[in-house]
Amino acid sequence: MKRLESQNIKPVFPPVVDLNVNGRCNLNCNYCYGPPKDSPELDFNDIIKVLKTLKNGGTSSIAITGGEPLLRDDIIDIFINIKKLGFNTALHTNGILLEEKHEIINYIDWLCLPLDGSNSQVVRSIRNSDTNFEAVISILDKIKNNGFKKPKHIKIGTVVTKYNINDLKNIAKILVKYNIDVWKCHEVRPRGMGNKYFKNIHIPEIEINRELNEIMDSIKDSKIFFSSIYQSIGAYFFVYPDGSVLIPFLNGYKNFGSIFKLNDDFNALELIDENSYNNNVNGAYLDTFSTRNDNKHALQQRTKVKTK
């Protein structure tokens, strides 16, 4: 594609971007569809450059994820700078290191934690961890009892597999105690490690919906948002730990290259699936994150070029 520097055109990005700051993780979940654990990681200065690039391209909200973001020594400084740049923020963490780095709650709008079972045994069968269940429950207890500062919003994520499909009702009963904002249930994606184990752990969408409908009938305050495989296609915009830009398709990701080397006429709004993207953002963050790109100058300049 021809670069359009003379037209003062800049790449345009979606309003909400998932920034994977690392691939490293202290868990080994058998459905993981995140970046490889050995992914190269941008340093602090390059992360700030990414954030400024996204801001200039119209992004208004950043969801920090990994890997496990709290494994980065500079993660609190990253969040301080995200807020200085005026972004809304979400932190996706497994929670194991959150008590150690609880100061980070001061800089996040959404705390997003996983709960894949109602007890340690179920969680262990999925996440291969003896501590994840206890860590998440401990955090929720501390927030409820004012041991931690309460974030503006709390989202709980559950990846539904053959190991926990019959435990969803029990998870729902636990979550009611904590007045969470969203319980997002995911169908296993055939991407990354999830692709490797997909046939062994996948539960079809129709079965998940049947179980979730029963829960919503019996627990009126269950606050469920369900995300199927097909609803996830084109529904996210990722910047990976090495700076690569990716959008998910059915069983993988399309990689558009480094965010620092995108053509000036790159327009992510033309690449994502608008309906799936908006549905995902609104369902996951309850309309608190805008789905409108506010970079009016960039969009106007792009329109002028197209109409010439």
Side-chain angles (χ1 to χ4, degrees), residues 94-191:
N94 61 40
I96 292 174
L97 298 175
L98 189 57
E99 294 203 27
E100 177 185 330
K101 299 185 177 184
H102 65 273
E103 175 192 346
I104 203 167
I105 293 179
N106 293 317
Y107 308 104
I108 61 177
D109 299 304
W110 279 85
L111 175 61
C112 309
L113 298 165
L115 194 63
D116 285 341
S118 65
N119 57 65
S120 295
Q121 183 177 356
V122 176
V123 173
R124 188 183 306 116
S125 68
I126 300 168
R127 290 183 166 261
N128 299 296
S129 170
D130 292 323
T131 58
N132 187 218
F133 174 79
E134 288 82 0
V136 171
I137 295 301
S138 175
I139 291 164
L140 293 175
D141 280 336
K142 282 183 168 62
I143 291 173
K144 180 180 179 180
N145 299 318
N146 299 315
F148 274 1
K149 176 182 177 181
K150 188 181 187 304
K152 291 181 182 177
H153 306 283
I154 299 174
K155 179 174 69 173
I156 299 296
T158 300
V159 179
V160 183
T161 70
K162 74 171 188 178
Y163 299 108
N164 63 4
I165 182 69
N166 295 320
D167 196 37
L168 295 180
K169 290 185 178 70
N170 295 324
I171 298 173
K173 291 175 183 176
I174 289 175
L175 294 181
V176 166
K177 303 175 186 176
Y178 295 108
N179 193 31
I180 64 161
D181 295 279
V182 175
W183 179 25
K184 185 175 181 180
C185 295
H186 305 252
E187 183 181 5
V188 174
R189 278 61 157 142
R191 304 172 192 135

Side-chain angles (χ1 to χ4, degrees), residues 7 26 107 120 129 240 245 265 282:
Q7 307 286 352
N26 45 8
Y107 308 104
S120 295
S129 170
Y240 258 31
V245 168
D265 57 351
N282 292 333

Side-chain angles (χ1 to χ4, degrees), residues 18 26 55 59 65 73 85 97 112 147 162 180 186 188 197 208 224 241 265 294 306:
D18 285 75
N26 45 8
K55 190 73 175 179
T59 299
T65 183
D73 294 334
L85 288 167
L97 298 175
C112 309
K162 74 171 188 178
I180 64 161
H186 305 252
V188 174
Y197 295 108
I208 299 173
I224 294 171
D265 57 351
D294 290 323
K306 283 188 174 183

Side-chain angles (χ1 to χ4, degrees), residues 55-294:
K55 190 73 175 179
N56 288 336
T59 299
S60 55
S61 301
I62 298 288
I64 293 291
T65 183
E68 171 46 54
L70 296 186
L71 286 172
R72 286 191 65 126
D73 294 334
D74 56 3
I75 192 62
I76 294 177
D77 289 330
I78 288 173
F79 266 92
I80 290 172
N81 280 273
I82 291 173
K83 294 307 289 185
K84 283 182 179 178
L85 288 167
F87 289 106
N88 301 311
T89 59
L91 170 64
H92 292 255
T93 172
N94 61 40
I96 292 174
L97 298 175
L98 189 57
E99 294 203 27
E100 177 185 330
K101 299 185 177 184
H102 65 273
E103 175 192 346
I104 203 167
I105 293 179
N106 293 317
Y107 308 104
I108 61 177
D109 299 304
W110 279 85
L111 175 61
C112 309
L113 298 165
L115 194 63
D116 285 341
S118 65
N119 57 65
S120 295
Q121 183 177 356
V122 176
V123 173
R124 188 183 306 116
S125 68
I126 300 168
R127 290 183 166 261
N128 299 296
S129 170
D130 292 323
T131 58
N132 187 218
F133 174 79
E134 288 82 0
V136 171
I137 295 301
S138 175
I139 291 164
L140 293 175
D141 280 336
K142 282 183 168 62
I143 291 173
K144 180 180 179 180
N145 299 318
N146 299 315
F148 274 1
K149 176 182 177 181
K150 188 181 187 304
K152 291 181 182 177
H153 306 283
I154 299 174
K155 179 174 69 173
I156 299 296
T158 300
V159 179
V160 183
T161 70
K162 74 171 188 178
Y163 299 108
N164 63 4
I165 182 69
N166 295 320
D167 196 37
L168 295 180
K169 290 185 178 70
N170 295 324
I171 298 173
K173 291 175 183 176
I174 289 175
L175 294 181
V176 166
K177 303 175 186 176
Y178 295 108
N179 193 31
I180 64 161
D181 295 279
V182 175
W183 179 25
K184 185 175 181 180
C185 295
H186 305 252
E187 183 181 5
V188 174
R189 278 61 157 142
R191 304 172 192 135
M193 290 290 286
N195 196 22
K196 181 178 180 180
Y197 295 108
F198 185 76
K199 291 182 179 179
N200 295 328
I201 63 176
H202 178 251
I203 296 292
E205 176 183 355
I206 189 170
E207 293 184 31
I208 299 173
N209 272 320
R210 184 186 305 122
E211 193 71 17
L212 295 179
N213 286 335
E214 290 181 9
I215 292 172
M216 287 187 284
D217 288 340
S218 60
I219 303 176
K220 301 303 181 184
D221 202 26
S222 48
K223 300 177 180 178
I224 294 171
F225 171 60
F226 175 58
S227 175
S228 71
I229 294 172
Y230 289 98
Q231 288 170 324
S232 72
I233 297 172
Y236 299 84
F237 185 88
F238 294 103
V239 179
Y240 258 31
D242 64 352
S244 297
V245 168
L246 290 85
I247 294 176
F249 59 92
L250 179 61
N251 58 356
Y253 300 90
K254 182 172 177 56
N255 190 326
F256 295 89
S258 170
I259 191 170
F260 300 125
K261 297 180 180 180
L262 296 174
N263 286 352
D264 296 324
D265 57 351
F266 178 86
N267 187 352
L269 303 182
E270 296 176 348
L271 300 171
I272 59 175
D273 183 294
E274 183 177 2
N275 290 334
S276 295
Y277 180 87
N278 290 347
N279 179 64
N280 178 60
V281 171
N282 292 333
Y285 300 111
L286 298 182
D287 301 324
T288 62
F289 286 0
S290 173
T291 55
R292 186 181 64 225
N293 185 304
D294 290 323

